[in-house]
């Protein structure tokens, strides 16, 4: 009888990440994030579906803008990973002072990041598109889209940081509501702003960009409200604030490798776009469509990641390594299952997926082969995604960065370039499964080393 009150008292004083059964904890943390990520993926797809209704050049312009958009998200999410890891670990260590300083300093870092992208959006967008194509319509569409996305990027940076603060303390339901709210606003505004419905001026591609940033800004304000109202474990006090170099260094020790790791995707996409456009602009549009479709498969896995990272980081800080190990194993099983399901969908229904984007005969022919070939990489991707996030959650972001560099720059891009020299576009897509298999081998080796040196 004496033991039961003691357990109840422990659960009341300790965060659920240290006491709740692992499977229930992982699902309670991850499912809300997976749902919100699915909504995010849905609005990305809807965005391109509406843009495709304008013409193929509009879709190509948005595809060419993806590296900039991805880089911006990489900086926001990468910094957020550093904040998440440090904040969750500090909670596990019961170090409230570091928790609060981490939250406050993160706001400064996100604001400075926004300024950099706003300057690029206003002064560098036109030049960015001129380096990729000479088509005047694509340049016009792309410049207007990128300028708006970057100039009003404070919404996405604010949204990410407030969501990360909620995730770090286990309040992923509020994070789900925030993301869903922004995505729904975007989906509603897309047709209105693109085609000029209900008296609104027809803005075409610029309307898609404006709908996106309005949704992000709305989500940012809702995320701020949830943190002030419900996130009592984190206190944000700007009065008398001074930057803390030690805290910033600890955030970026995980954040910078994560930023570099995700930014590499922008370099890879830019390089691959140049390889594909040498065949035909339609191939570039197909690649853009693939990225939109694969987000619907990858986003739930990233949601699983977002639920896993604070659990692993918290229990590392609390010294509960058995809980870390069980969390990692379950996450890998769930991720592989999700990716296999996604692969089956792309293998069985590529034409139906492409028809969503008003695919022309040429786009259908190229896209069917592309989706089936690239989706073979999903066999290996689930394991790799979880493993990379495990390294980040324990503060070893350099391993994650190393894997990403090898996969995308050392293997994928050179393989795509060499395969393009055959003159056969269909062979270029095989660069994806080749790169993912190499990544799998490296991830397995490093995870085994991590188990021996840390977990065991």
């Amino acid at each position: 009888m004496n033991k039961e009150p003691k357990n109840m008292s422990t659960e009341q004083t300790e965060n659920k990440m240290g006491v709740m059964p692992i499977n229930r904890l992982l699902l309670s943390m991850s499912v809300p994030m997976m749902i919100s990520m699915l909504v995010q993926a849905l609005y990305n797809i809807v965005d391109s579906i509406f843009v495709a209704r304008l013409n193929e050049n509009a879709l190509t312009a948005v595809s060419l803008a993806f590296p900039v958009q991805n880089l911006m998200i990489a900086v926001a999410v990468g910094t957020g990973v550093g904040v998440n890891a440090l904040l969750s670990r500090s909670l596990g260590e019961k170090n409230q002072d570091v928790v609060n300083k981490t939250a406050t300093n993160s706001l400064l870092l996100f604001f400075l990041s926004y300024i950099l992208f706003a300057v690029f959006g206003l002064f560098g967008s036109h030049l960015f598109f001129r380096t990729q194509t000479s088509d005047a319509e694509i340049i016009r569409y792309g410049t207007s889209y990128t300028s708006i996305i970057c100039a009003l990027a404070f919404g996405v940076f604010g949204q990410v940081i407030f969501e990360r603060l909620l995730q770090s303390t286990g309040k992923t339901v509020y994070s789900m509501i925030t993301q869903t709210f922004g995505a729904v606003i975007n989906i509603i505004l897309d047709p209105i702003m693109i085609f000029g419905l209900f008296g609104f001026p027809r803005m075409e591609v610029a309307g898609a960009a404006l709908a996106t940033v309005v949704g992000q800004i709305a989500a940012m304000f809702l995320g701020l409200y949830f943190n002030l109202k419900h996130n009592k474990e984190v206190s944000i006090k700007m009065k008398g604030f001074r930057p803390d170099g030690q805290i910033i260094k600890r955030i970026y020790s995980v954040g910078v490798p994560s930023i570099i790791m995700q930014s590499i995707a922008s370099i890879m996409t830019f390089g691959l776009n140049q390889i594909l456009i040498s065949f035909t602009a339609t191939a570039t549009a197909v690649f853009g469509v693939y990225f939109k479709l694969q987000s619907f498969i990858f986003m739930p896995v990233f949601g699983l990641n977002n639920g896993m990272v604070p659990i692993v980081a918290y229990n590392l800080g609390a010294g509960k390594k058995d809980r870390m190990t069980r969390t990692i194993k379950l996450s890998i099983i769930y991720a592989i299952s999700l990716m296999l399901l996604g692969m089956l969908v792309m293998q069985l229904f590529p034409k139906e997926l492409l028809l969503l984007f008003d695919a022309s005969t040429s786009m259908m022919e190229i896209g069917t082969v592309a989706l089936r070939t690239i989706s073979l990489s999903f066999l290996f991707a689930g394991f790799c995604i979880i493993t990379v996030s495990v390294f980040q959650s324990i503060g070893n972001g350099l391993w994650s960065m190393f894997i990403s560099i090898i996969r995308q720059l050392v293997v994928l891009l050179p393989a795509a370039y060499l395969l393009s020299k055959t003159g056969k576009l269909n062979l270029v897509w095989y660069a994806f499964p080749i790169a993912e298999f190499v990544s799998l081998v490296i991830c397995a080796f490093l995870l085994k080393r991590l188990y021996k040196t840390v977990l065991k």
Side-chain angles (χ1 to χ4, degrees), residues 139-156:
I139 293 173
R140 177 171 60 84
Y141 279 142
T143 301
S144 63
Y145 184 86
T146 307
S147 298
I148 294 170
I149 288 290
C150 291
L152 299 176
F154 65 87
V156 70

Side-chain angles (χ1 to χ4, degrees), residues 179-201:
Q179 287 197 6
T180 303
F181 180 66
V184 169
I185 288 177
N186 189 354
I187 291 171
I188 293 171
L189 292 180
D190 257 333
I192 295 173
M193 292 183 168
I194 292 172
F195 302 112
L197 306 179
F198 308 115
F200 201 88

Side-chain angles (χ1 to χ4, degrees), residues 50-239:
F50 284 125
V51 167
R53 296 291 188 273
L54 295 171
N55 54 56
E56 195 171 290
N57 275 349
L59 185 59
T60 301
V62 173
S63 299
L64 292 175
F66 180 77
V68 175
Q69 208 169 359
N70 188 69
L71 181 61
M72 184 165 57
I73 294 172
V75 172
V77 173
T79 306
V81 168
V83 172
N84 206 339
L86 177 56
L87 205 153
S88 295
R89 185 170 181 172
S90 301
L91 281 170
E93 294 169 346
K94 304 295 188 291
N95 193 334
Q96 192 60 42
D97 182 55
V98 173
V99 169
N100 295 339
K101 285 183 177 179
T102 301
T104 311
N105 279 271
S106 66
L107 295 180
L108 172 66
L109 300 181
F110 274 72
F111 176 74
L112 294 176
S113 299
Y114 155 64
I115 294 298
L116 289 175
F117 280 97
V119 171
F120 172 80
L122 293 173
F123 301 105
S125 297
H126 185 73
L127 178 61
F128 175 75
F129 278 89
R130 285 186 60 189
T131 62
Q132 299 186 81
T133 179
S134 58
D135 190 301
E137 187 175 45
I138 294 176
I139 293 173
R140 177 171 60 84
Y141 279 142
T143 301
S144 63
Y145 184 86
T146 307
S147 298
I148 294 170
I149 288 290
C150 291
L152 299 176
F154 65 87
V156 70
F157 281 101
Q159 178 185 354
V160 169
I161 183 55
F162 292 133
E163 286 174 0
R164 290 292 173 170
L165 295 181
L166 291 165
Q167 292 166 19
S168 298
T169 56
K171 297 173 177 62
T172 54
V173 171
Y174 293 118
S175 185
M176 177 192 72
I177 295 171
T178 299
Q179 287 197 6
T180 303
F181 180 66
V184 169
I185 288 177
N186 189 354
I187 291 171
I188 293 171
L189 292 180
D190 257 333
I192 295 173
M193 292 183 168
I194 292 172
F195 302 112
L197 306 179
F198 308 115
F200 201 88
R202 180 184 174 94
M203 298 180 67
E204 298 189 340
V205 173
L210 188 58
T212 297
V213 296
V214 169
Q216 291 166 347
I217 293 168
M220 176 190 73
F221 281 116
L222 185 60
L224 173 61
Y225 169 78
F226 281 146
N227 273 282
L228 295 176
K229 183 74 174 177
H230 300 290
N231 205 2
K232 303 301 182 184
E233 292 169 280
V234 178
S235 178
I236 303 174
K237 295 180 180 178
M238 301 306 296
K239 185 177 181 181

